[in-house]
Amino acid sequence: MLKNKSFVKRTRKGNIVRTVKEHYLRDDIVCGYENCQHAVCSEQPKGPLSATPRDSVQWGAHYLVPDTNAFVNQIDIFERPVIDDVVVLSTVLDELRGLSMAVYNRVRAIIRDKDRRWFV
Protein backbone atom coordinates (compact mmCIF):
# COMPACT_ATOMS: atom_id res chain seq x y z
CA MET A 1 0.00 0.00 0.00
CA LEU A 2 1.33 3.43 -0.92
CA LYS A 3 0.47 6.65 0.85
CA ASN A 4 1.49 10.04 -0.48
CA LYS A 5 1.74 13.35 1.30
CA SER A 6 2.42 16.36 -0.85
CA PHE A 7 3.39 19.82 0.34
CA VAL A 8 4.00 23.16 -1.26
CA LYS A 9 6.89 24.99 0.43
CA ARG A 10 8.54 28.31 -0.12
CA THR A 11 12.35 28.28 -0.17
CA ARG A 12 14.59 30.98 1.31
CA LYS A 13 14.91 32.60 -2.09
CA GLY A 14 11.15 32.77 -2.43
CA ASN A 15 10.72 29.98 -4.96
CA ILE A 16 7.82 27.59 -4.51
CA VAL A 17 8.72 23.90 -4.42
CA ARG A 18 6.33 20.98 -4.35
CA THR A 19 7.52 18.18 -2.05
CA VAL A 20 6.08 14.67 -2.16
CA LYS A 21 6.69 12.17 0.64
CA GLU A 22 5.88 8.57 -0.20
CA HIS A 23 5.25 6.05 2.55
CA TYR A 24 5.16 2.38 1.59
CA LEU A 25 3.27 -0.03 3.83
CA ARG A 26 3.50 -3.75 3.21
CA ASP A 27 0.32 -5.74 3.61
CA ASP A 28 1.79 -9.19 2.96
CA ILE A 29 3.60 -9.65 6.29
CA VAL A 30 1.98 -11.75 9.00
CA CYS A 31 1.63 -10.33 12.51
CA GLY A 32 2.75 -13.46 14.37
CA TYR A 33 -0.29 -13.63 16.66
CA GLU A 34 -1.54 -17.18 17.10
CA ASN A 35 -5.28 -16.44 16.76
CA CYS A 36 -5.18 -13.64 14.19
CA GLN A 37 -8.24 -13.52 11.93
CA HIS A 38 -6.80 -11.15 9.31
CA ALA A 39 -6.95 -12.46 5.73
CA VAL A 40 -3.16 -12.40 5.20
CA CYS A 41 -2.47 -14.16 8.50
CA SER A 42 -5.08 -16.86 7.94
CA GLU A 43 -3.32 -17.98 4.74
CA GLN A 44 0.06 -18.40 6.48
CA PRO A 45 1.08 -20.87 9.21
CA LYS A 46 0.25 -19.77 12.75
CA GLY A 47 2.70 -17.33 14.34
CA PRO A 48 4.74 -17.99 17.47
CA LEU A 49 3.08 -15.37 19.71
CA SER A 50 0.73 -16.94 22.22
CA ALA A 51 -2.97 -16.15 22.26
CA THR A 52 -2.70 -15.88 26.05
CA PRO A 53 0.49 -13.92 26.81
CA ARG A 54 1.95 -13.47 30.26
CA ASP A 55 -0.46 -11.66 32.55
CA SER A 56 0.31 -9.38 35.48
CA VAL A 57 -1.88 -7.48 37.90
CA GLN A 58 -0.26 -4.13 37.14
CA TRP A 59 0.11 -4.35 33.33
CA GLY A 60 -2.43 -6.95 32.25
CA ALA A 61 -1.77 -9.30 29.34
CA HIS A 62 1.10 -7.99 27.23
CA TYR A 63 3.79 -8.70 24.66
CA LEU A 64 7.30 -7.35 25.05
CA VAL A 65 8.82 -5.08 22.35
CA PRO A 66 12.36 -4.17 23.49
CA ASP A 67 14.60 -1.57 21.91
CA THR A 68 18.30 -1.77 21.10
CA ASN A 69 19.51 -0.35 24.41
CA ALA A 70 17.48 -2.92 26.34
CA PHE A 71 19.24 -5.73 24.49
CA VAL A 72 22.71 -4.20 24.78
CA ASN A 73 22.41 -3.44 28.50
CA GLN A 74 20.20 -6.32 29.69
CA ILE A 75 20.88 -9.29 27.41
CA ASP A 76 21.32 -11.60 30.43
CA ILE A 77 17.72 -11.01 31.50
CA PHE A 78 16.39 -11.73 27.99
CA GLU A 79 18.20 -15.07 27.93
CA ARG A 80 16.16 -16.37 30.87
CA PRO A 81 13.49 -18.88 29.82
CA VAL A 82 10.68 -17.00 31.59
CA ILE A 83 10.91 -14.16 29.04
CA ASP A 84 8.66 -15.21 26.17
CA ASP A 85 6.15 -13.64 23.75
CA VAL A 86 8.68 -11.04 22.57
CA VAL A 87 8.43 -9.07 19.32
CA VAL A 88 11.88 -8.07 18.01
CA LEU A 89 11.83 -5.32 15.41
CA SER A 90 14.07 -5.83 12.39
CA THR A 91 15.52 -2.33 12.83
CA VAL A 92 16.61 -3.33 16.34
CA LEU A 93 18.40 -6.36 14.91
CA ASP A 94 20.12 -4.18 12.31
CA GLU A 95 21.31 -1.78 15.01
CA LEU A 96 22.51 -4.67 17.17
CA ARG A 97 24.55 -6.03 14.29
CA GLY A 98 26.35 -2.72 14.05
CA LEU A 99 26.78 -2.15 17.78
CA SER A 100 27.69 -5.55 19.16
CA MET A 101 28.00 -8.72 17.15
CA ALA A 102 28.14 -10.81 20.34
CA VAL A 103 24.76 -9.51 21.54
CA TYR A 104 23.33 -9.87 18.03
CA ASN A 105 24.36 -13.55 17.91
CA ARG A 106 22.86 -14.18 21.36
CA VAL A 107 19.54 -12.61 20.32
CA ARG A 108 19.48 -14.61 17.07
CA ALA A 109 20.07 -17.80 19.08
CA ILE A 110 17.06 -16.98 21.28
CA ILE A 111 14.92 -16.24 18.21
CA ARG A 112 15.82 -19.62 16.66
CA ASP A 113 14.55 -21.43 19.80
CA LYS A 114 10.90 -22.23 18.94
CA ASP A 115 9.91 -22.85 22.57
CA ARG A 116 10.66 -19.24 23.50
CA ARG A 117 7.99 -17.68 21.20
CA TRP A 118 10.06 -14.74 19.91
CA PHE A 119 8.92 -13.11 16.66
CA VAL A 120 10.78 -10.86 14.18
Side-chain angles (χ1 to χ4, degrees), residues 1-56:
M1 178 181 354
L2 174 65
K3 292 187 177 184
N4 286 329
K5 291 183 180 179
S6 62
F7 302 74
V8 178
K9 292 193 319 186
R10 182 172 291 204
T11 64
R12 290 183 182 176
K13 291 184 176 182
N15 298 336
I16 296 177
V17 178
R18 183 170 182 239
T19 304
V20 177
K21 291 186 178 183
E22 295 179 346
H23 187 76
Y24 293 93
L25 299 174
R26 293 188 59 184
D27 56 0
D28 61 335
I29 299 175
V30 297
C31 66
Y33 179 60
E34 191 174 59
N35 291 340
C36 184
Q37 302 300 322
H38 192 269
V40 173
C41 296
S42 63
E43 297 169 1
Q44 302 292 329
K46 295 295 181 189
L49 295 178
S50 173
T52 56
R54 185 171 302 278
D55 196 4
S56 69

